[in-house]
Structure formats: C-alpha cells, structure tokens
Short mmCIF file of all heavy atoms in Angstrom, two decimals:
data_model
loop_
_atom_site.label_atom_id
_atom_site.label_comp_id
_atom_site.label_asym_id
_atom_site.label_seq_id
_atom_site.Cartn_x
_atom_site.Cartn_y
_atom_site.Cartn_z
N ALA A 1 54.80 11.35 -195.38
CA ALA A 1 56.05 10.82 -195.93
C ALA A 1 56.99 10.51 -194.77
O ALA A 1 57.85 11.32 -194.41
CB ALA A 1 56.68 11.83 -196.89
N GLY A 2 56.83 9.35 -194.17
CA GLY A 2 57.64 8.99 -193.03
C GLY A 2 59.07 8.65 -193.41
O GLY A 2 59.39 8.40 -194.57
N LEU A 3 59.93 8.63 -192.42
CA LEU A 3 61.33 8.31 -192.63
C LEU A 3 61.52 6.83 -192.92
O LEU A 3 62.40 6.43 -193.68
CB LEU A 3 62.14 8.71 -191.39
CG LEU A 3 63.64 8.41 -191.41
CD1 LEU A 3 64.33 9.21 -192.52
CD2 LEU A 3 64.27 8.74 -190.05
N TYR A 4 60.65 5.99 -192.33
CA TYR A 4 60.81 4.54 -192.45
C TYR A 4 59.71 3.97 -193.35
O TYR A 4 58.54 4.30 -193.21
CB TYR A 4 60.74 3.87 -191.08
CG TYR A 4 61.66 4.50 -190.05
CD1 TYR A 4 61.14 5.15 -188.93
CD2 TYR A 4 63.04 4.44 -190.20
CE1 TYR A 4 61.97 5.72 -187.98
CE2 TYR A 4 63.88 5.01 -189.25
CZ TYR A 4 63.34 5.65 -188.15
OH TYR A 4 64.17 6.22 -187.22
N SER A 5 60.11 3.08 -194.24
CA SER A 5 59.13 2.44 -195.12
C SER A 5 58.48 1.23 -194.47
O SER A 5 57.45 0.75 -194.94
CB SER A 5 59.80 2.02 -196.43
OG SER A 5 60.84 1.07 -196.18
N GLY A 6 59.06 0.73 -193.39
CA GLY A 6 58.52 -0.42 -192.69
C GLY A 6 59.42 -0.81 -191.54
O GLY A 6 60.48 -0.20 -191.33
N PRO A 7 59.02 -1.82 -190.77
CA PRO A 7 59.82 -2.24 -189.62
C PRO A 7 61.25 -2.64 -189.98
O PRO A 7 62.20 -2.26 -189.27
CB PRO A 7 59.04 -3.44 -189.07
CG PRO A 7 57.65 -3.25 -189.54
CD PRO A 7 57.76 -2.59 -190.88
N LEU A 8 61.42 -3.41 -191.06
CA LEU A 8 62.76 -3.84 -191.43
C LEU A 8 63.63 -2.66 -191.84
O LEU A 8 64.83 -2.63 -191.54
CB LEU A 8 62.68 -4.87 -192.56
CG LEU A 8 62.07 -6.22 -192.19
CD1 LEU A 8 62.05 -7.16 -193.39
CD2 LEU A 8 62.82 -6.87 -191.03
N ASP A 9 63.02 -1.69 -192.52
CA ASP A 9 63.77 -0.50 -192.91
C ASP A 9 64.17 0.30 -191.67
O ASP A 9 65.25 0.88 -191.63
CB ASP A 9 62.93 0.37 -193.84
CG ASP A 9 63.68 1.62 -194.29
OD1 ASP A 9 64.78 1.47 -194.85
OD2 ASP A 9 63.16 2.73 -194.09
N CYS A 10 63.28 0.33 -190.68
CA CYS A 10 63.59 1.02 -189.43
C CYS A 10 64.79 0.37 -188.75
O CYS A 10 65.71 1.05 -188.28
CB CYS A 10 62.37 1.02 -188.51
SG CYS A 10 62.60 1.89 -186.95
N VAL A 11 64.77 -0.96 -188.69
CA VAL A 11 65.90 -1.69 -188.10
C VAL A 11 67.18 -1.40 -188.87
O VAL A 11 68.23 -1.15 -188.27
CB VAL A 11 65.61 -3.21 -188.08
CG1 VAL A 11 66.86 -3.98 -187.66
CG2 VAL A 11 64.45 -3.52 -187.15
N ARG A 12 67.08 -1.43 -190.19
CA ARG A 12 68.26 -1.20 -191.02
C ARG A 12 68.87 0.17 -190.77
O ARG A 12 70.09 0.31 -190.64
CB ARG A 12 67.87 -1.33 -192.49
CG ARG A 12 69.03 -1.18 -193.46
CD ARG A 12 68.55 -1.25 -194.90
NE ARG A 12 67.62 -0.17 -195.22
CZ ARG A 12 68.01 1.08 -195.51
NH1 ARG A 12 69.31 1.39 -195.54
NH2 ARG A 12 67.13 2.01 -195.79
N GLN A 13 68.03 1.19 -190.68
CA GLN A 13 68.54 2.55 -190.47
C GLN A 13 69.14 2.73 -189.08
O GLN A 13 70.14 3.42 -188.91
CB GLN A 13 67.41 3.56 -190.71
CG GLN A 13 66.96 3.65 -192.15
CD GLN A 13 66.13 4.88 -192.41
OE1 GLN A 13 66.47 5.99 -191.98
NE2 GLN A 13 65.01 4.72 -193.13
N ILE A 14 68.51 2.09 -188.07
CA ILE A 14 69.06 2.19 -186.72
C ILE A 14 70.43 1.54 -186.65
O ILE A 14 71.39 2.11 -186.10
CB ILE A 14 68.10 1.53 -185.70
CG1 ILE A 14 66.81 2.33 -185.57
CG2 ILE A 14 68.79 1.43 -184.33
CD1 ILE A 14 65.77 1.68 -184.70
N VAL A 15 70.55 0.35 -187.23
CA VAL A 15 71.83 -0.36 -187.22
C VAL A 15 72.87 0.40 -188.02
O VAL A 15 74.04 0.48 -187.63
CB VAL A 15 71.66 -1.79 -187.77
CG1 VAL A 15 73.01 -2.48 -187.93
CG2 VAL A 15 70.76 -2.60 -186.85
N ARG A 16 72.46 0.99 -189.16
CA ARG A 16 73.39 1.75 -189.99
C ARG A 16 73.90 2.99 -189.27
O ARG A 16 75.10 3.32 -189.31
CB ARG A 16 72.70 2.16 -191.29
CG ARG A 16 73.59 2.92 -192.28
CD ARG A 16 72.75 3.57 -193.36
NE ARG A 16 71.86 4.59 -192.77
CZ ARG A 16 70.79 5.08 -193.40
NH1 ARG A 16 70.44 4.62 -194.59
NH2 ARG A 16 70.05 6.01 -192.81
N ASP A 17 73.00 3.72 -188.61
CA ASP A 17 73.37 5.00 -188.00
C ASP A 17 73.93 4.85 -186.59
O ASP A 17 74.76 5.66 -186.17
CB ASP A 17 72.14 5.92 -187.94
CG ASP A 17 71.61 6.26 -189.32
OD1 ASP A 17 72.38 6.15 -190.30
OD2 ASP A 17 70.41 6.61 -189.43
N GLU A 18 73.48 3.83 -185.85
CA GLU A 18 73.87 3.72 -184.44
C GLU A 18 74.55 2.41 -184.10
O GLU A 18 75.02 2.24 -182.97
CB GLU A 18 72.63 3.89 -183.54
CG GLU A 18 71.84 5.16 -183.83
CD GLU A 18 70.53 5.20 -183.07
OE1 GLU A 18 70.51 4.71 -181.91
OE2 GLU A 18 69.53 5.70 -183.62
N GLY A 19 74.57 1.49 -185.06
CA GLY A 19 75.13 0.18 -184.78
C GLY A 19 74.10 -0.71 -184.08
O GLY A 19 73.03 -0.23 -183.68
N PRO A 20 74.38 -2.01 -183.92
CA PRO A 20 73.44 -2.92 -183.26
C PRO A 20 73.06 -2.47 -181.86
O PRO A 20 71.96 -2.74 -181.38
CB PRO A 20 74.20 -4.25 -183.22
CG PRO A 20 75.17 -4.16 -184.36
CD PRO A 20 75.57 -2.73 -184.43
N ARG A 21 73.96 -1.76 -181.18
CA ARG A 21 73.66 -1.30 -179.83
C ARG A 21 72.50 -0.30 -179.81
O ARG A 21 71.85 -0.12 -178.78
CB ARG A 21 74.89 -0.64 -179.21
CG ARG A 21 76.00 -1.62 -178.87
CD ARG A 21 77.14 -0.93 -178.12
NE ARG A 21 78.18 -1.87 -177.75
CZ ARG A 21 79.26 -1.53 -177.06
NH1 ARG A 21 79.43 -0.27 -176.68
NH2 ARG A 21 80.17 -2.44 -176.76
N GLY A 22 72.25 0.33 -180.96
CA GLY A 22 71.14 1.28 -181.03
C GLY A 22 69.80 0.62 -180.77
O GLY A 22 68.86 1.27 -180.31
N LEU A 23 69.71 -0.68 -181.08
CA LEU A 23 68.46 -1.41 -180.84
C LEU A 23 68.28 -1.76 -179.37
O LEU A 23 67.18 -2.13 -178.95
CB LEU A 23 68.44 -2.69 -181.66
CG LEU A 23 68.37 -2.53 -183.18
CD1 LEU A 23 68.61 -3.87 -183.87
CD2 LEU A 23 67.02 -1.95 -183.60
N TYR A 24 69.36 -1.65 -178.60
CA TYR A 24 69.30 -2.05 -177.19
C TYR A 24 69.56 -0.89 -176.24
O TYR A 24 69.97 -1.10 -175.10
CB TYR A 24 70.31 -3.18 -176.93
CG TYR A 24 69.81 -4.52 -177.38
CD1 TYR A 24 70.09 -5.00 -178.66
CD2 TYR A 24 69.02 -5.32 -176.55
CE1 TYR A 24 69.63 -6.23 -179.09
CE2 TYR A 24 68.55 -6.54 -176.97
CZ TYR A 24 68.85 -6.99 -178.24
OH TYR A 24 68.37 -8.21 -178.67
N ARG A 25 69.28 0.31 -176.69
CA ARG A 25 69.39 1.46 -175.79
C ARG A 25 68.37 1.31 -174.65
O ARG A 25 67.21 1.02 -174.89
CB ARG A 25 69.14 2.76 -176.55
CG ARG A 25 70.25 3.13 -177.51
CD ARG A 25 70.03 4.52 -178.11
NE ARG A 25 71.06 4.85 -179.07
CZ ARG A 25 72.25 5.35 -178.74
NH1 ARG A 25 72.53 5.58 -177.47
NH2 ARG A 25 73.14 5.64 -179.68
N GLY A 26 68.82 1.56 -173.44
CA GLY A 26 67.92 1.45 -172.29
C GLY A 26 67.72 0.04 -171.77
O GLY A 26 66.82 -0.20 -170.97
N SER A 27 68.57 -0.90 -172.21
CA SER A 27 68.39 -2.30 -171.81
C SER A 27 68.52 -2.50 -170.31
O SER A 27 67.74 -3.23 -169.70
CB SER A 27 69.40 -3.20 -172.53
OG SER A 27 69.16 -3.22 -173.91
N TRP A 28 69.53 -1.85 -169.71
CA TRP A 28 69.76 -2.06 -168.27
C TRP A 28 68.60 -1.51 -167.45
O TRP A 28 68.18 -2.14 -166.47
CB TRP A 28 71.08 -1.41 -167.85
CG TRP A 28 72.27 -2.19 -168.28
CD1 TRP A 28 73.18 -1.86 -169.24
CD2 TRP A 28 72.70 -3.47 -167.77
NE1 TRP A 28 74.13 -2.84 -169.38
CE2 TRP A 28 73.86 -3.84 -168.48
CE3 TRP A 28 72.20 -4.33 -166.79
CZ2 TRP A 28 74.53 -5.03 -168.24
CZ3 TRP A 28 72.88 -5.52 -166.54
CH2 TRP A 28 74.02 -5.86 -167.26
N ILE A 29 68.07 -0.36 -167.86
CA ILE A 29 66.92 0.19 -167.15
C ILE A 29 65.71 -0.74 -167.28
O ILE A 29 64.98 -0.98 -166.31
CB ILE A 29 66.56 1.59 -167.70
CG1 ILE A 29 67.71 2.56 -167.43
CG2 ILE A 29 65.28 2.11 -167.07
CD1 ILE A 29 68.01 2.79 -165.97
N THR A 30 65.53 -1.27 -168.49
CA THR A 30 64.42 -2.20 -168.72
C THR A 30 64.60 -3.47 -167.90
O THR A 30 63.63 -4.00 -167.34
CB THR A 30 64.33 -2.57 -170.21
OG1 THR A 30 64.24 -1.37 -170.99
CG2 THR A 30 63.11 -3.42 -170.49
N LEU A 31 65.84 -3.96 -167.79
CA LEU A 31 66.11 -5.15 -167.00
C LEU A 31 65.81 -4.90 -165.52
O LEU A 31 65.16 -5.73 -164.85
CB LEU A 31 67.57 -5.58 -167.17
CG LEU A 31 68.02 -6.79 -166.35
CD1 LEU A 31 67.25 -8.04 -166.78
CD2 LEU A 31 69.52 -7.00 -166.49
N LEU A 32 66.26 -3.76 -165.01
CA LEU A 32 66.02 -3.42 -163.60
C LEU A 32 64.53 -3.22 -163.33
O LEU A 32 64.06 -3.46 -162.21
CB LEU A 32 66.79 -2.15 -163.23
CG LEU A 32 68.32 -2.28 -163.20
CD1 LEU A 32 68.96 -0.92 -162.96
CD2 LEU A 32 68.75 -3.27 -162.11
N ARG A 33 63.79 -2.81 -164.35
CA ARG A 33 62.35 -2.64 -164.19
C ARG A 33 61.61 -3.96 -164.30
O ARG A 33 60.76 -4.29 -163.47
CB ARG A 33 61.82 -1.67 -165.26
CG ARG A 33 60.32 -1.42 -165.19
CD ARG A 33 59.83 -0.80 -166.49
NE ARG A 33 59.87 -1.74 -167.60
CZ ARG A 33 59.57 -1.42 -168.86
NH1 ARG A 33 59.23 -0.18 -169.17
NH2 ARG A 33 59.63 -2.33 -169.82
N ASP A 34 61.92 -4.74 -165.34
CA ASP A 34 61.09 -5.90 -165.67
C ASP A 34 61.38 -7.13 -164.83
O ASP A 34 60.46 -7.92 -164.58
CB ASP A 34 61.26 -6.26 -167.16
CG ASP A 34 60.51 -5.31 -168.06
OD1 ASP A 34 59.95 -4.33 -167.55
OD2 ASP A 34 60.48 -5.55 -169.27
N SER A 35 62.62 -7.32 -164.41
CA SER A 35 62.93 -8.54 -163.66
C SER A 35 62.18 -8.60 -162.33
O SER A 35 61.42 -9.55 -162.10
CB SER A 35 64.44 -8.65 -163.45
OG SER A 35 64.76 -9.86 -162.79
N PRO A 36 62.31 -7.60 -161.45
CA PRO A 36 61.52 -7.67 -160.21
C PRO A 36 60.03 -7.50 -160.44
O PRO A 36 59.22 -8.05 -159.68
CB PRO A 36 62.09 -6.51 -159.37
CG PRO A 36 62.69 -5.57 -160.34
CD PRO A 36 63.21 -6.42 -161.46
N THR A 37 59.66 -6.75 -161.49
CA THR A 37 58.24 -6.58 -161.78
C THR A 37 57.59 -7.91 -162.13
O THR A 37 56.48 -8.21 -161.67
CB THR A 37 58.04 -5.59 -162.94
OG1 THR A 37 58.55 -4.31 -162.56
CG2 THR A 37 56.57 -5.44 -163.30
N MET A 38 58.27 -8.72 -162.93
CA MET A 38 57.73 -10.03 -163.28
C MET A 38 57.72 -10.97 -162.07
O MET A 38 56.86 -11.84 -161.95
CB MET A 38 58.54 -10.66 -164.42
CG MET A 38 58.29 -10.04 -165.78
SD MET A 38 56.57 -10.22 -166.34
CE MET A 38 55.93 -8.58 -166.02
N GLY A 39 58.69 -10.78 -161.16
CA GLY A 39 58.66 -11.56 -159.93
C GLY A 39 57.41 -11.27 -159.13
O GLY A 39 56.72 -12.18 -158.65
N LEU A 40 57.06 -10.00 -159.01
CA LEU A 40 55.83 -9.60 -158.30
C LEU A 40 54.59 -10.03 -159.08
O LEU A 40 53.58 -10.42 -158.49
CB LEU A 40 55.82 -8.09 -158.08
CG LEU A 40 56.85 -7.55 -157.09
CD1 LEU A 40 56.84 -6.01 -157.10
CD2 LEU A 40 56.57 -8.08 -155.68
#
C-alpha cells in the first residue's frame, strides 16, 4: 500500500506539501555535476 498511486499523484503530493521547488531540490548540485560532465 504505497503512498503514491502513480507518477502524477507523486507530483501532486510533492507540489502540495513542498511547493514547485520541491521538484527541483538539488538542482544546483546537479547542474555543477552534469554541465562539466557532459562537456567531458
């Protein structure tokens, strides 16, 4: 009996509980990792 019924429900709960920024937690770390990594 999972908390989420599907991907859209997961998105809905994240946005409801944490706001849209909840979907982008860790963005700066990911940017610092992926930008030079893709260059290499």
Side-chain angles (χ1 to χ4, degrees):
L3 178 64
Y4 310 114
S5 61
L8 292 180
D9 181 56
C10 182
V11 171
R12 182 183 62 80
Q13 292 195 45
I14 292 174
V15 173
R16 182 194 63 198
D17 298 338
E18 307 172 36
R21 289 186 178 182
L23 293 170
Y24 281 92
R25 290 187 182 277
S27 294
W28 284 109
I29 296 297
T30 306
L31 178 64
L32 292 174
R33 179 196 70 184
D34 284 6
S35 183
T37 297
M38 286 298 103
L40 291 173

